[in-house]
């Protein structure tokens, strides 16, 4: 499934082969929460953005339109008209972050939908069934995510349940495979911000020969240095030959840190959320398009970006669209931000190929943090 | 400027040449109120929609970002990155329909912006100056629009002021032309729903050799039969050799009636407003995507539409996007509705070329009103 092509320090170039095609890693996965890739209208758009793989949320799709609709429509690929790989998360994180009234027991997670107040029960088995019904190329086990700063006791309990649920998820996944499902399942390392728990979880997961491994419970409110520390700490206990996925990161800094730690996959809603708030990625730092100073600025958002937004529109016009709250503002900004991040990953892959990742990272961050965007 | 190519009954095929290119008429003008064509992201999109000419609102652009910004940016074409013809309205209709606290005097229209409460004064002269600053290919005179059902006295006054303002607008336009502005100015026929006033206005306007003529004050709340009656009544007093524009119509029925009456140009926000409400044009009538019955419907919105939305997505998926209030829902629906209307005009032009407009109209409306969309 995963082929390690090249190493440059701990940074890795690889290929992950799925039912719907091969993904070049490291890769940023565009998030289409409800099965819609924000910011992209056409297949050509998705291609020019450089989208290799799309991530959808089991939680959202389970609540609306529901498993049965997607099954009837022939799976998520057909429903969305997206013919490349899809990764679905298990819903564990959304139960943790979005739902009202949740109750975690050994059996599963009972929760009330944040959308319509309806009650649902996720079990390790039924989320595998749902994701198999979606025909996900890569599915995640149900896990228990705990936040930054919880007591050791809570972290221990979350880990124990996550580990038990992995065994049950794996069994159900094997049943689904026997029935013809071809997708793969990733277990999730938890352990909160306790080194021994992280080690215990990583070693436990590594003792199974799974197609890939996710690291969960990071980027949940902790300071950046804790994020880096625990990511690096966890990775060392995971087998080199497996693709590794850190969930929920989407800033250039975090991505560069993750690649440096040997991580292969990431996802985040940040680029499109930022976009809707008028915040654009640029090589010179984050650009807030709402600022007065862009009102009659001819220049593009980022003169070194080759995306069609930067090639076509001025800051003046994009600011105007944002101020007018035109839908087009969100669309153009999302397009740009996704293009920017996917292009960052493309450049990272090339740098690794050419044994110059450290230099690339240093140069990128130096410019990104230079404050140049604020000195125009 | 305008070349009449062919007549089929009163329906006409023509060409209108502007500084930024030639427009095939009859034409539907896509409305980009604030200088953004809703539903289109790229030049390829605009081309595949069939957009020939774009309409922007002087009122909105004057309030935000303001004349000076657009002037600094080199005019509206450069500001929007749109290199084809642009028509701007004068703001008269928006003063009538949108602004708080308006006061019409012989001098001009004083109003408070609906956006930020700021005070503005439109005069026949300054709106010509503004539209010349925008570098509009086709600009409109400032007029006084009166609604359906007003007293004769009010209609008379509105007409008298509109006629006076035309003389002043024409003078200012000639001054702008001497200074190098190359766009054209359309006067506007008013007269409300009084035949003698409409006749008087049409004959007055016709006595000047202007490049084109707009008919205003229709589609302001009157029943459809009154709309048709007054449109036809007015047209007969206008010179055949001039392009004629009926402002604010955008349903297939109204467009087919207008073409039949000999009208060449129309515009309306309806296709994109409908789109945002989940209402799609189809050959079988209007389709409301929010309905439960589409929940797992594989079919396209309109199997006889060749747009990329209909070629790519199912009703089930589009319904899901609408229910999730995804931005993509508005974008895809706007794209489809604009494509549908522009394609309708393309077919109308072809039907006129081939002397079968009446048959085309009959067939289209029969199917459009068949209720077939509700019988699936």
């Amino acid at each position: 499934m995963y082929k390690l092509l090249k190493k440059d320090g701990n940074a890795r170039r690889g290929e992950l082969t799925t039912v719907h095609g091969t993904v070049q890693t490291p890769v940023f996965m565009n998030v289409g929460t409800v099965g819609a890739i924000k910011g992209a209208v056409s297949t050509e758009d998705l291609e020019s953005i450089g989208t290799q793989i799309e991530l959808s949320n089991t939680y959202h799709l389970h609540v609306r339109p529901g498993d049965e609709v997607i099954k009837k429509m022939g799976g998520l690929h057909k429903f969305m008209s997206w013919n490349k790989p899809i990764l679905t998360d298990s819903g564990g994180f959304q139960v943790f972050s979005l739902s009202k009234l949740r109750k975690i027991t050994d059996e599963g997670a009972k929760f009330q939908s944040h959308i319509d107040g309806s009650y649902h029960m996720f079990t390790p088995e039924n989320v595998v069934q749902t994701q198999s019904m979606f025909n996900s190329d890569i599915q995640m086990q149900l896990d228990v995510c705990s936040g930054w700063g919880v007591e050791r006791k809570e972290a221990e309990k979350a880990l124990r349940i996550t580990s038990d649920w992995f065994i049950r998820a794996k069994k159900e996944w094997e049943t689904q495979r026997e029935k013809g499902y071809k997708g793969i399942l990733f277990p999730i390392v938890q352990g909160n911000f306790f080194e021994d728990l992280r080690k215990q979880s990583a070693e436990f997961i590594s003792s199974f020969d799974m197609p890939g491994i996710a690291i969960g419970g990071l980027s949940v409110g902790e300071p950046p240095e804790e994020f880096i520390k625990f990511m690096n700490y966890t990775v060392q206990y995971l087998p080199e030959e497996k693709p590794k996925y850190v969930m929920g990161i989407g800033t250039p800094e975090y991505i560069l840190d993750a690649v440096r730690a040997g991580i292969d996959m990431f996802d985040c809603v940040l680029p499109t959320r930022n976009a809707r708030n008028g915040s654009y990625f640029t090589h010179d730092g984050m650009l807030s398009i709402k600022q007065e100073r862009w009102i009659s600025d001819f220049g593009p958002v980022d003169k070194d970006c080759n995306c069609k937004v930067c090639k076509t529109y001025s800051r003046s016009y994009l600011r105007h669209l944002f101020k007018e709250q035109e839908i087009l503002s969100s669309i153009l900004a999302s397009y740009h931000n996704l293009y920017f991040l996917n292009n960052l990953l493309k450049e990272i892959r090339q740098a690794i190929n050419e044994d110059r990742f450290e230099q690339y990272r240093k140069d990128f961050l130096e410019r990104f943090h230079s404050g140049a965007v604020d000195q125009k």
Side-chain angles (χ1 to χ4, degrees), chain A:
Chain A
M1 288 282 174
Y2 176 74
K3 200 169 141 194
L4 177 59
L5 298 175
K6 172 96 179 60
K7 284 193 77 173
D8 176 11
N10 284 327
R12 308 134 50 94
R13 271 283 289 118
E15 275 179 3
L16 178 62
T17 299
T18 76
V19 182
H20 287 87
T22 296
V23 174
Q24 300 300 320
T25 62
V27 65
F28 177 76
M29 301 185 284
N30 295 351
V31 181
T33 306
V34 301
I37 301 196
K38 291 171 212 279
V41 180
S42 61
T43 318
E44 306 93 74
D45 277 351
L46 291 166
E47 269 172 28
S48 62
I49 285 171
T51 313
Q52 294 193 71
I53 173 168
E54 192 271 346
L55 185 148
S56 283
N57 293 113
T58 296
Y59 172 93
H60 290 86
L61 292 167
H62 173 76
V63 173
R64 261 202 325 223
D67 305 357
E68 284 304 320
V69 167
I70 294 175
K71 187 185 176 187
K72 247 194 198 163
M73 298 303 292
L76 201 46
H77 294 83
K78 284 191 183 144
F79 182 61
M80 294 176 59
S81 301
W82 171 250
N83 223 344
K84 289 188 178 178
I86 293 177
L87 181 148
T88 47
D89 65 8
S90 63
F93 183 75
Q94 282 75 31
V95 168
F96 160 74
S97 63
L98 282 181
S99 66
K100 298 182 249 180
L101 291 177
R102 61 177 177 275
K103 193 172 161 56
I104 313 277
T105 60
D106 283 353
E107 193 200 348
K110 196 172 171 181
F111 63 95
Q112 198 182 355
S113 154
H114 74 295
I115 297 174
D116 59 7
S118 56
Y119 286 92
H120 300 265
M121 174 83 177
F122 277 168
T123 67
E125 290 83 6
N126 74 14
V127 298
V128 168
Q129 286 156 10
T130 293
Q131 295 177 89
S132 304
M133 210 178 259
F134 290 172
N135 201 23
S136 304
D137 295 277
I138 306 172
Q139 60 169 273
M140 297 290 130
Q141 73 151 107
L142 186 66
D143 63 332
V144 182
C145 189
S146 55
W148 165 247
V150 304
E151 296 285 315
R152 181 177 174 94
K153 213 166 163 176
E154 191 181 333
E156 274 174 356
K157 188 182 166 197
L159 174 56
R160 180 183 59 75
I161 297 180
T162 298
S163 301
D164 290 350
W165 284 0
F166 164 59
I167 303 294
R168 287 164 56 190
K170 182 170 174 289
K171 199 171 159 211
E172 180 61 34
W173 171 61
E174 284 158 356
T175 305
Q176 294 293 330
R177 298 274 289 190
E178 280 160 25
K179 288 186 191 164
Y181 170 65
K182 297 203 176 350
I184 58 182
L185 172 73
F186 279 22
I188 302 177
V189 176
Q190 288 288 353
N192 202 268
F193 298 90
F194 298 95
E195 291 191 346
D196 60 326
L197 298 185
R198 282 280 167 189
K199 177 167 187 275
Q200 179 194 322
S201 180
E203 288 179 341
F204 171 72
I205 293 293
S206 303
S207 71
F208 299 88
D209 184 26
M210 294 302 290
I213 296 170
I215 303 176
L218 292 179
S219 196
V220 289
E222 75 281 10
E225 55 277 15
E226 292 295 313
F227 165 79
I228 295 173
K229 181 179 152 194
F230 276 87
M231 175 172 58
N232 280 292
Y233 184 83
T234 307
V235 169
Q236 65 181 313
Y237 298 105
L238 299 176
E240 170 149 300
E241 70 276 12
K242 302 290 181 188
K244 296 172 198 80
Y245 164 29
V246 170
M247 307 170 89
I249 64 173
T251 65
E253 293 95 331
Y254 271 32
I255 288 173
L256 286 161
D257 283 334
V259 170
R260 194 189 208 186
I263 304 300
D264 308 292
M265 304 158 74
F266 348 87
D267 76 285
C268 198
V269 296
L270 187 95
T272 46
R273 184 184 294 158
N274 275 347
R276 292 192 297 279
N277 295 328
S279 188
Y280 284 76
F281 288 121
T282 84
H283 286 89
D284 295 314
M286 296 307 292
L287 183 151
S288 172
I289 203 70
K290 68 186 87 172
Q291 291 172 0
E292 187 69 18
R293 62 191 164 130
W294 309 128
I295 192 162
S296 39
D297 188 303
F298 285 96
V301 161
D302 184 342
K303 69 177 168 44
D304 294 322
C305 174
N306 288 314
C307 89
K308 68 183 174 193
V309 177
C310 290
K311 291 280 171 213
T312 313
Y313 302 107
S314 63
R315 295 193 188 104
S316 169
Y317 182 64
L318 295 172
R319 176 183 182 277
H320 172 65
L321 293 182
F322 180 81
K323 295 299 263 186
E324 288 293 328
Q325 297 172 33
E326 278 287 315
I327 290 174
L328 194 55
S329 172
S330 296
I331 293 287
L332 294 179
S334 296
Y335 182 93
H336 167 82
N337 280 355
L338 289 178
Y339 183 99
F340 187 92
L341 270 200
N342 280 281
N343 187 60
L344 171 68
L345 268 297
K346 197 170 130 191
E347 290 182 3
I348 287 173
R349 289 193 296 270
Q350 205 172 330
I352 297 172
N353 281 342
E354 296 164 5
D355 286 310
R356 53 179 180 77
F357 172 72
E358 275 306 317
Q359 190 60 44
Y360 176 84
R361 177 176 175 277
K362 188 170 159 284
D363 294 345
F364 182 93
L365 290 177
E366 207 165 275
R367 188 172 165 195
F368 194 68
H369 292 150
S370 66
V373 76
D374 292 322
Q375 287 151 21
K376 285 191 207 291

